[in-house]
PDB file of all heavy atoms in Angstrom:
ATOM      1  N   SER V  65    -149.243  92.652-176.062  1.00 67.00           N
ATOM      2  CA  SER V  65    -148.382  92.365-177.202  1.00 67.00           C
ATOM      3  C   SER V  65    -149.146  92.680-178.477  1.00 67.00           C
ATOM      4  O   SER V  65    -150.370  92.693-178.482  1.00 67.00           O
ATOM      5  CB  SER V  65    -147.988  90.879-177.154  1.00 67.00           C
ATOM      6  OG  SER V  65    -147.260  90.507-178.274  1.00 67.00           O
ATOM      7  N   ASP V  66    -148.412  92.907-179.550  1.00 73.00           N
ATOM      8  CA  ASP V  66    -149.049  93.197-180.829  1.00 73.00           C
ATOM      9  C   ASP V  66    -149.770  91.979-181.397  1.00 73.00           C
ATOM     10  O   ASP V  66    -150.743  92.111-182.120  1.00 73.00           O
ATOM     11  CB  ASP V  66    -148.011  93.679-181.845  1.00 73.00           C
ATOM     12  CG  ASP V  66    -147.448  95.040-181.484  1.00 73.00           C
ATOM     13  OD1 ASP V  66    -148.090  95.782-180.714  1.00 73.00           O
ATOM     14  OD2 ASP V  66    -146.342  95.368-181.969  1.00 73.00           O
ATOM     15  N   SER V  67    -149.269  90.790-181.096  1.00 84.00           N
ATOM     16  CA  SER V  67    -149.827  89.560-181.647  1.00 84.00           C
ATOM     17  C   SER V  67    -150.092  88.549-180.545  1.00 84.00           C
ATOM     18  O   SER V  67    -149.476  88.599-179.489  1.00 84.00           O
ATOM     19  CB  SER V  67    -148.840  88.937-182.646  1.00 84.00           C
ATOM     20  OG  SER V  67    -148.568  89.824-183.697  1.00 84.00           O
ATOM     21  N   VAL V  68    -150.984  87.602-180.828  1.00 91.00           N
ATOM     22  CA  VAL V  68    -151.224  86.493-179.914  1.00 91.00           C
ATOM     23  C   VAL V  68    -149.943  85.678-179.826  1.00 91.00           C
ATOM     24  O   VAL V  68    -149.251  85.475-180.828  1.00 91.00           O
ATOM     25  CB  VAL V  68    -152.390  85.620-180.435  1.00 91.00           C
ATOM     26  CG1 VAL V  68    -152.516  84.335-179.641  1.00 91.00           C
ATOM     27  CG2 VAL V  68    -153.680  86.401-180.393  1.00 91.00           C
ATOM     28  N   ARG V  69    -149.618  85.232-178.635  1.00 94.00           N
ATOM     29  CA  ARG V  69    -148.420  84.415-178.406  1.00 94.00           C
ATOM     30  C   ARG V  69    -148.855  83.030-177.944  1.00 94.00           C
ATOM     31  O   ARG V  69    -149.963  82.851-177.445  1.00 94.00           O
ATOM     32  CB  ARG V  69    -147.526  85.049-177.328  1.00 94.00           C
ATOM     33  CG  ARG V  69    -147.064  86.464-177.625  1.00 94.00           C
ATOM     34  CD  ARG V  69    -146.126  86.490-178.817  1.00 94.00           C
ATOM     35  NE  ARG V  69    -145.510  87.775-178.976  1.00 94.00           N
ATOM     36  CZ  ARG V  69    -144.214  88.014-178.773  1.00 94.00           C
ATOM     37  NH1 ARG V  69    -143.411  87.052-178.407  1.00 94.00           N
ATOM     38  NH2 ARG V  69    -143.727  89.218-178.954  1.00 94.00           N
ATOM     39  N   TYR V  70    -147.957  82.066-178.096  1.00 96.00           N
ATOM     40  CA  TYR V  70    -148.239  80.682-177.721  1.00 96.00           C
ATOM     41  C   TYR V  70    -147.195  80.188-176.736  1.00 96.00           C
ATOM     42  O   TYR V  70    -146.029  80.588-176.790  1.00 96.00           O
ATOM     43  CB  TYR V  70    -148.284  79.795-178.970  1.00 96.00           C
ATOM     44  CG  TYR V  70    -149.403  80.198-179.898  1.00 96.00           C
ATOM     45  CD1 TYR V  70    -149.213  81.151-180.887  1.00 96.00           C
ATOM     46  CD2 TYR V  70    -150.673  79.652-179.751  1.00 96.00           C
ATOM     47  CE1 TYR V  70    -150.249  81.541-181.721  1.00 96.00           C
ATOM     48  CE2 TYR V  70    -151.721  80.040-180.583  1.00 96.00           C
ATOM     49  CZ  TYR V  70    -151.496  80.984-181.565  1.00 96.00           C
ATOM     50  OH  TYR V  70    -152.532  81.369-182.379  1.00 96.00           O
ATOM     51  N   ASP V  71    -147.623  79.299-175.836  1.00 95.00           N
ATOM     52  CA  ASP V  71    -146.760  78.808-174.769  1.00 95.00           C
ATOM     53  C   ASP V  71    -147.054  77.330-174.545  1.00 95.00           C
ATOM     54  O   ASP V  71    -148.190  76.963-174.263  1.00 95.00           O
ATOM     55  CB  ASP V  71    -147.045  79.612-173.492  1.00 95.00           C
ATOM     56  CG  ASP V  71    -146.059  79.379-172.374  1.00 95.00           C
ATOM     57  OD1 ASP V  71    -145.147  78.544-172.520  1.00 95.00           O
ATOM     58  OD2 ASP V  71    -146.196  80.047-171.333  1.00 95.00           O
ATOM     59  N   ALA V  72    -146.028  76.491-174.671  1.00 95.00           N
ATOM     60  CA  ALA V  72    -146.199  75.050-174.454  1.00 95.00           C
ATOM     61  C   ALA V  72    -145.832  74.650-173.030  1.00 95.00           C
ATOM     62  O   ALA V  72    -145.931  73.484-172.680  1.00 95.00           O
ATOM     63  CB  ALA V  72    -145.366  74.255-175.459  1.00 95.00           C
ATOM     64  N   PHE V  73    -145.411  75.606-172.198  1.00 93.00           N
ATOM     65  CA  PHE V  73    -145.115  75.319-170.797  1.00 93.00           C
ATOM     66  C   PHE V  73    -146.437  75.393-170.049  1.00 93.00           C
ATOM     67  O   PHE V  73    -146.982  76.478-169.827  1.00 93.00           O
ATOM     68  CB  PHE V  73    -144.100  76.330-170.255  1.00 93.00           C
ATOM     69  CG  PHE V  73    -143.723  76.101-168.822  1.00 93.00           C
ATOM     70  CD1 PHE V  73    -143.176  74.902-168.413  1.00 93.00           C
ATOM     71  CD2 PHE V  73    -143.920  77.091-167.882  1.00 93.00           C
ATOM     72  CE1 PHE V  73    -142.820  74.690-167.090  1.00 93.00           C
ATOM     73  CE2 PHE V  73    -143.570  76.898-166.552  1.00 93.00           C
ATOM     74  CZ  PHE V  73    -143.026  75.686-166.161  1.00 93.00           C
ATOM     75  N   LEU V  74    -146.985  74.240-169.692  1.00 90.00           N
ATOM     76  CA  LEU V  74    -148.342  74.166-169.173  1.00 90.00           C
ATOM     77  C   LEU V  74    -148.448  74.253-167.658  1.00 90.00           C
ATOM     78  O   LEU V  74    -149.552  74.368-167.128  1.00 90.00           O
ATOM     79  CB  LEU V  74    -149.017  72.886-169.672  1.00 90.00           C
ATOM     80  CG  LEU V  74    -149.116  72.755-171.198  1.00 90.00           C
ATOM     81  CD1 LEU V  74    -149.807  71.451-171.567  1.00 90.00           C
ATOM     82  CD2 LEU V  74    -149.807  73.949-171.828  1.00 90.00           C
ATOM     83  N   ASP V  75    -147.317  74.192-166.939  1.00 90.00           N
ATOM     84  CA  ASP V  75    -147.377  74.354-165.489  1.00 90.00           C
ATOM     85  C   ASP V  75    -147.883  75.751-165.170  1.00 90.00           C
ATOM     86  O   ASP V  75    -147.660  76.700-165.938  1.00 90.00           O
ATOM     87  CB  ASP V  75    -145.996  74.154-164.859  1.00 90.00           C
ATOM     88  CG  ASP V  75    -145.535  72.706-164.927  1.00 90.00           C
ATOM     89  OD1 ASP V  75    -146.342  71.833-165.261  1.00 90.00           O
ATOM     90  OD2 ASP V  75    -144.347  72.467-164.642  1.00 90.00           O
ATOM     91  N   ARG V  76    -148.551  75.902-164.023  1.00 86.00           N
ATOM     92  CA  ARG V  76    -149.057  77.226-163.629  1.00 86.00           C
ATOM     93  C   ARG V  76    -147.899  78.201-163.507  1.00 86.00           C
ATOM     94  O   ARG V  76    -146.900  77.919-162.842  1.00 86.00           O
ATOM     95  CB  ARG V  76    -149.786  77.121-162.300  1.00 86.00           C
ATOM     96  CG  ARG V  76    -151.127  76.430-162.407  1.00 86.00           C
ATOM     97  CD  ARG V  76    -151.862  76.475-161.122  1.00 86.00           C
ATOM     98  NE  ARG V  76    -151.668  77.787-160.507  1.00 86.00           N
ATOM     99  CZ  ARG V  76    -152.287  78.218-159.453  1.00 86.00           C
ATOM    100  NH1 ARG V  76    -153.148  77.453-158.847  1.00 86.00           N
ATOM    101  NH2 ARG V  76    -152.063  79.408-158.950  1.00 86.00           N
ATOM    102  N   HIS V  77    -148.041  79.332-164.166  1.00 90.00           N
ATOM    103  CA  HIS V  77    -147.039  80.385-164.059  1.00 90.00           C
ATOM    104  C   HIS V  77    -147.630  81.696-164.545  1.00 90.00           C
ATOM    105  O   HIS V  77    -148.677  81.716-165.185  1.00 90.00           O
ATOM    106  CB  HIS V  77    -145.758  80.031-164.835  1.00 90.00           C
ATOM    107  CG  HIS V  77    -145.930  79.925-166.319  1.00 90.00           C
ATOM    108  ND1 HIS V  77    -146.553  78.854-166.934  1.00 90.00           N
ATOM    109  CD2 HIS V  77    -145.569  80.761-167.315  1.00 90.00           C
ATOM    110  CE1 HIS V  77    -146.545  79.031-168.239  1.00 90.00           C
ATOM    111  NE2 HIS V  77    -145.966  80.193-168.503  1.00 90.00           N
ATOM    112  N   ALA V  78    -146.959  82.767-164.199  1.00 89.00           N
ATOM    113  CA  ALA V  78    -147.377  84.106-164.623  1.00 89.00           C
ATOM    114  C   ALA V  78    -146.392  84.586-165.689  1.00 89.00           C
ATOM    115  O   ALA V  78    -145.441  83.884-166.037  1.00 89.00           O
ATOM    116  CB  ALA V  78    -147.376  85.049-163.420  1.00 89.00           C
ATOM    117  N   HIS V  79    -146.621  85.792-166.200  1.00 91.00           N
ATOM    118  CA  HIS V  79    -145.744  86.350-167.223  1.00 91.00           C
ATOM    119  C   HIS V  79    -145.366  87.786-166.892  1.00 91.00           C
ATOM    120  O   HIS V  79    -146.164  88.526-166.310  1.00 91.00           O
ATOM    121  CB  HIS V  79    -146.428  86.311-168.596  1.00 91.00           C
ATOM    122  CG  HIS V  79    -146.642  84.932-169.089  1.00 91.00           C
ATOM    123  ND1 HIS V  79    -147.847  84.280-168.952  1.00 91.00           N
ATOM    124  CD2 HIS V  79    -145.804  84.050-169.688  1.00 91.00           C
ATOM    125  CE1 HIS V  79    -147.736  83.063-169.462  1.00 91.00           C
ATOM    126  NE2 HIS V  79    -146.517  82.896-169.900  1.00 91.00           N
ATOM    127  N   MET V  80    -144.159  88.146-167.285  1.00 92.00           N
ATOM    128  CA  MET V  80    -143.695  89.532-167.229  1.00 92.00           C
ATOM    129  C   MET V  80    -143.539  89.987-168.671  1.00 92.00           C
ATOM    130  O   MET V  80    -142.979  89.258-169.497  1.00 92.00           O
ATOM    131  CB  MET V  80    -142.339  89.628-166.517  1.00 92.00           C
ATOM    132  CG  MET V  80    -142.368  89.203-165.070  1.00 92.00           C
ATOM    133  SD  MET V  80    -140.737  89.314-164.280  1.00 92.00           S
ATOM    134  CE  MET V  80    -139.824  88.049-165.139  1.00 92.00           C
ATOM    135  N   VAL V  81    -144.031  91.180-168.972  1.00 91.00           N
ATOM    136  CA  VAL V  81    -143.957  91.718-170.327  1.00 91.00           C
ATOM    137  C   VAL V  81    -143.242  93.050-170.287  1.00 91.00           C
ATOM    138  O   VAL V  81    -143.635  93.960-169.543  1.00 91.00           O
ATOM    139  CB  VAL V  81    -145.378  91.902-170.927  1.00 91.00           C
ATOM    140  CG1 VAL V  81    -145.287  92.466-172.332  1.00 91.00           C
ATOM    141  CG2 VAL V  81    -146.146  90.599-170.906  1.00 91.00           C
ATOM    142  N   CYS V  82    -142.180  93.172-171.097  1.00 91.00           N
ATOM    143  CA  CYS V  82    -141.455  94.443-171.186  1.00 91.00           C
ATOM    144  C   CYS V  82    -142.193  95.368-172.149  1.00 91.00           C
ATOM    145  O   CYS V  82    -142.428  95.015-173.302  1.00 91.00           O
ATOM    146  CB  CYS V  82    -140.023  94.215-171.667  1.00 91.00           C
ATOM    147  SG  CYS V  82    -139.104  95.767-171.844  1.00 91.00           S
ATOM    148  N   GLN V  83    -142.560  96.538-171.668  1.00 90.00           N
ATOM    149  CA  GLN V  83    -143.273  97.515-172.504  1.00 90.00           C
ATOM    150  C   GLN V  83    -142.382  98.102-173.588  1.00 90.00           C
ATOM    151  O   GLN V  83    -142.876  98.578-174.600  1.00 90.00           O
ATOM    152  CB  GLN V  83    -143.800  98.663-171.640  1.00 90.00           C
ATOM    153  CG  GLN V  83    -144.974  98.278-170.789  1.00 90.00           C
ATOM    154  CD  GLN V  83    -145.499  99.456-170.011  1.00 90.00           C
ATOM    155  OE1 GLN V  83    -144.751 100.145-169.327  1.00 90.00           O
ATOM    156  NE2 GLN V  83    -146.793  99.675-170.108  1.00 90.00           N
ATOM    157  N   GLU V  84    -141.078  98.057-173.380  1.00 91.00           N
ATOM    158  CA  GLU V  84    -140.144  98.660-174.330  1.00 91.00           C
ATOM    159  C   GLU V  84    -139.876  97.735-175.525  1.00 91.00           C
ATOM    160  O   GLU V  84    -140.083  98.117-176.660  1.00 91.00           O
ATOM    161  CB  GLU V  84    -138.831  98.982-173.610  1.00 91.00           C
ATOM    162  CG  GLU V  84    -137.892  99.859-174.391  1.00 91.00           C
ATOM    163  CD  GLU V  84    -138.356 101.302-174.481  1.00 91.00           C
ATOM    164  OE1 GLU V  84    -139.073 101.759-173.575  1.00 91.00           O
ATOM    165  OE2 GLU V  84    -138.008 101.961-175.464  1.00 91.00           O
ATOM    166  N   CYS V  85    -139.408  96.510-175.252  1.00 90.00           N
ATOM    167  CA  CYS V  85    -139.003  95.608-176.343  1.00 90.00           C
ATOM    168  C   CYS V  85    -140.016  94.503-176.642  1.00 90.00           C
ATOM    169  O   CYS V  85    -139.898  93.810-177.645  1.00 90.00           O
ATOM    170  CB  CYS V  85    -137.644  94.985-176.033  1.00 90.00           C
ATOM    171  SG  CYS V  85    -137.651  93.827-174.639  1.00 90.00           S
ATOM    172  N   GLY V  86    -141.014  94.320-175.779  1.00 87.00           N
ATOM    173  CA  GLY V  86    -142.033  93.306-176.002  1.00 87.00           C
ATOM    174  C   GLY V  86    -141.666  91.913-175.527  1.00 87.00           C
ATOM    175  O   GLY V  86    -142.449  90.977-175.702  1.00 87.00           O
ATOM    176  N   LYS V  87    -140.495  91.755-174.934  1.00 90.00           N
ATOM    177  CA  LYS V  87    -140.068  90.444-174.442  1.00 90.00           C
ATOM    178  C   LYS V  87    -141.048  89.936-173.390  1.00 90.00           C
ATOM    179  O   LYS V  87    -141.521  90.697-172.554  1.00 90.00           O
ATOM    180  CB  LYS V  87    -138.667  90.560-173.838  1.00 90.00           C
ATOM    181  CG  LYS V  87    -138.092  89.255-173.355  1.00 90.00           C
ATOM    182  CD  LYS V  87    -136.663  89.462-172.833  1.00 90.00           C
ATOM    183  CE  LYS V  87    -136.069  88.163-172.372  1.00 90.00           C
ATOM    184  NZ  LYS V  87    -134.692  88.339-171.906  1.00 90.00           N
ATOM    185  N   ILE V  88    -141.355  88.624-173.452  1.00 91.00           N
ATOM    186  CA  ILE V  88    -142.254  87.994-172.492  1.00 91.00           C
ATOM    187  C   ILE V  88    -141.465  86.931-171.742  1.00 91.00           C
ATOM    188  O   ILE V  88    -140.840  86.069-172.358  1.00 91.00           O
ATOM    189  CB  ILE V  88    -143.466  87.367-173.194  1.00 91.00           C
ATOM    190  CG1 ILE V  88    -144.231  88.436-173.976  1.00 91.00           C
ATOM    191  CG2 ILE V  88    -144.375  86.676-172.187  1.00 91.00           C
ATOM    192  CD1 ILE V  88    -145.293  87.891-174.892  1.00 91.00           C
TER     193      ILE V  88
END
Side-chain angles (χ1 to χ4, degrees):
S65 175
D66 292 339
S67 300
V68 170
R69 302 293 190 111
Y70 297 89
D71 190 357
F73 181 58
L74 301 180
D75 290 349
R76 287 186 40 172
H77 65 285
H79 293 98
M80 297 179 293
V81 180
C82 178
Q83 287 183 308
E84 192 72 27
C85 68
K87 183 177 181 178
I88 301 170

